[in-house]
Amino acid sequence: MPTDFPLSLTLFCVWIVIATVIAMMPGRYHWPGAYGLMALLVPLLVFIWMDLGLWYALAGLVAAASVLRWPVRFAFRWLRARVTGDPK
């Protein structure tokens, strides 16, 4: 059995499993878990980029954004409020 599966993708799969476990926990653990996942995501995506290339890193970013839907929505709302001056 070949063992050519990249370490970067293995770590990303572990990140997805950790995100799933956090999602199954009570709601009070979601935001602290999301902060921890985001902190781990940045160097992980850089590692994927350096190991496999830009397209894999972008695919990982899209997958992570689908997992972290609410933090992404709040970030876009915050950014839109800063750019347009609209508090909504």
Side-chain angles (χ1 to χ4, degrees):
M1 179 174 202
T3 59
D4 294 342
F5 199 74
L7 177 63
S8 59
L9 288 185
T10 303
L11 293 175
F12 189 72
C13 290
V14 169
W15 186 91
I16 294 289
V17 169
I18 291 170
T20 304
V21 169
I22 290 172
M24 289 188 284
M25 296 172 87
R28 67 178 178 263
Y29 298 111
H30 288 181
W31 278 103
Y35 292 137
L37 288 171
M38 286 185 274
L40 290 173
L41 181 64
V42 173
L44 185 56
L45 287 176
V46 171
F47 182 40
I48 292 171
W49 187 354
M50 294 297 126
D51 193 22
L52 300 171
L54 178 63
W55 294 111
Y56 283 93
L58 289 175
L61 181 64
V62 169
S66 73
V67 170
L68 298 171
R69 289 182 301 277
W70 285 104
V72 170
R73 286 181 185 174
F74 285 126
F76 278 126
R77 287 181 192 168
W78 178 83
L79 186 63
R80 185 180 61 200
R82 296 294 178 256
V83 170
T84 64
D86 184 23
K88 250 184 166 177

